[in-house]
Amino acid sequence: MATLHSFLQTLFQFVKVLVGNVSKKMHRSAAVLTVGCTVISVVAFNSTSFGGGGKNALTAYAQIHPGDTDEEEEPEEDPDIQVLGSAFSEDLYSPGPDAEAYEDAVLTSDAVSAYPKTEFEESGLLAEAEVRNMTSGSDMGQALIGDVLEQDTMENVKSGDALRERVVLLQKEDRVRQVGDAAKRAVEEVRKKEEEARRAALRIPYSDEDYQVMLKIVQAEAGGCDSTGKILVANVIMNRVRSGKFPDTITEVVYQKSQFSPVIDGSINRVKVTQDTIDCVNRALDGEDYSQGALYFMNRKASQAGNVSWFDGTLTYLFQHGSHEFFK
């Protein structure tokens, strides 16, 4: 840029000498001519990168490739131009915003990228222009969208991983629950089988006559009792059938001499069997048993004193339910 100033100063002094003896009108014409030449020179020097871009480019190249300065040295200036340049004023020309804008336009224009790049251009001279192009317009938008999509993808991946971990955890919990349920079902199945075996052992064979006799004796002895009290009376009769100390059928056990007061006073034949009594007898015949093996029962308040004394002195007391006490 100093070379350009020197040249312009020399040109101005040369023209001033030539037109120094002419009239004022001619002097003004010379000034206009000088300004025109100045503008043309500025444009020409900037467009060919003689005074500014070229020298700056060579300087940048020398900084990037310090070992190559011997091969390409900066050309020496013409002595005549140096002489002419010393005569110009320093404040006659200063680079304005148009020249700087033009220089930026040259560096960033598409026309630059259309030509093959030289070695110093490849080494970094056009790096700034390429960075500007990469970070401008749609490329910047695409890069931003790419970052957003990448972040969204990572969030989706994280969410997917968390979802898969949750599914695995639920599957494990479900398997544990299934194993627990299977174990409970197995235990319940064993319990049911044991109960079924126990009831099967308590069942006794009986005829239709035995069934009717059982209904009447239970109604006569425990018609006013709850379901458990009725089942207990039936249990005692069935226990006697299974015991070797008593007859082998329900009818024979019930009508054995001096065993049940309803048989003694004949009330067994006057009772009206209720549905609840039927249900209780059926449950007892099916093996439902609360008797603990009892073979006797009595209502202490309704029994004769001699019978009470015999129960207390001869039998083993087991428990009491309602108004009946059970013995073995």
Side-chain angles (χ1 to χ4, degrees):
M1 190 61 67
T3 303
L4 175 60
H5 290 171
S6 299
F7 176 77
L8 293 178
Q9 291 172 359
T10 303
L11 178 62
F12 177 80
Q13 294 296 332
F14 178 75
V15 174
K16 183 177 180 180
V17 171
L18 289 178
V19 298
N21 297 323
V22 298
S23 63
K24 292 182 178 180
K25 181 177 181 180
M26 293 179 66
H27 189 274
R28 286 195 299 270
S29 298
V32 170
L33 178 62
T34 302
V35 172
C37 291
T38 302
V39 173
I40 294 174
S41 299
V42 170
V43 174
F45 288 146
N46 277 312
S47 62
T48 57
S49 300
F50 174 78
K55 184 176 180 180
N56 291 338
L58 290 175
T59 303
Y61 176 75
Q63 294 175 353
I64 296 173
H65 300 280
D68 297 340
T69 53
D70 293 339
E71 296 181 2
E72 294 186 15
E73 297 181 354
E74 182 177 354
E76 297 182 357
E77 296 181 358
D78 193 328
D80 296 333
I81 294 177
Q82 292 180 353
V83 173
L84 292 174
S86 61
F88 276 82
S89 173
E90 285 292 337
D91 58 354
L92 183 64
Y93 168 77
S94 62
D98 293 339
E100 294 178 357
Y102 178 80
E103 184 177 356
D104 290 340
V106 170
L107 288 175
T108 59
S109 65
D110 295 336
V112 173
S113 61
Y115 292 94
K117 296 179 180 180
T118 63
E119 183 178 356
F120 72 88
E121 288 175 332
E122 287 288 355
S123 65
L125 183 60
L126 298 181
E128 181 180 356
E130 291 177 354
V131 170
R132 291 179 186 176
N133 290 334
M134 289 176 63
T135 59
S136 63
S138 61
D139 290 342
M140 182 180 294
Q142 291 176 0
L144 179 60
I145 293 174
D147 292 340
V148 172
L149 291 177
E150 182 179 1
Q151 183 178 3
D152 185 63
T153 301
M154 293 301 296
E155 292 296 332
N156 290 337
V157 170
K158 293 179 180 178
S159 299
D161 292 340
L163 180 59
R164 282 190 291 273
E165 292 178 0
R166 179 60 177 166
V167 169
V168 171
L169 179 60
L170 291 176
Q171 289 176 344
K172 291 181 179 179
E173 293 178 353
D174 186 60
R175 284 195 294 270
V176 171
R177 184 167 49 253
Q178 289 178 356
V179 171
D181 293 343
K184 291 179 180 179
R185 288 194 298 269
V187 171
E188 183 65 19
E189 195 66 26
V190 171
R191 189 193 66 79
K192 287 182 178 180
K193 289 182 178 180
E194 291 177 349
E195 179 65 17
E196 180 61 27
R198 186 185 69 82
R199 289 195 176 194
L202 295 174
R203 294 189 187 104
I204 61 173
Y206 58 90
S207 64
D208 292 340
E209 181 183 5
D210 293 333
Y211 182 70
Q212 294 301 321
V213 171
M214 178 72 83
L215 292 176
K216 289 189 290 184
I217 193 61
V218 170
Q219 185 68 44
E221 289 283 4
C225 299
D226 60 10
S227 297
T228 302
K230 293 177 180 180
I231 293 174
L232 279 168
V233 171
N235 291 154
V236 169
I237 294 171
M238 295 174 65
N239 290 341
R240 288 189 178 190
V241 171
R242 287 189 294 269
S243 172
K245 299 178 182 179
F246 298 91
D248 297 332
T249 66
I250 293 175
T251 302
E252 292 175 342
V253 167
V254 172
Y255 283 97
Q256 187 178 7
K257 185 179 180 179
S258 302
Q259 295 299 312
F260 296 98
S261 57
V263 174
I264 295 173
D265 61 20
S267 60
I268 187 173
N269 297 318
R270 297 189 298 268
V271 296
K272 183 178 180 180
V273 179
T274 64
Q275 183 61 49
D276 183 62
T277 299
I278 295 174
D279 293 339
C280 291
V281 168
N282 291 337
R283 290 163 62 183
L285 291 173
D286 190 47
E288 189 171 342
D289 190 346
Y290 307 104
S291 67
Q292 302 179 24
L295 294 173
Y296 302 89
F297 66 90
M298 76 165 178
N299 185 340
R300 184 176 294 273
K301 294 180 179 181
S303 299
Q304 297 178 358
N307 293 334
V308 171
S309 297
W310 182 83
F311 272 83
D312 290 338
T314 306
L315 304 176
T316 302
Y317 176 83
L318 296 177
F319 62 91
Q320 180 176 350
H321 181 82
S323 59
H324 288 147
E325 298 177 28
F326 293 85
F327 300 83
K328 187 175 181 180

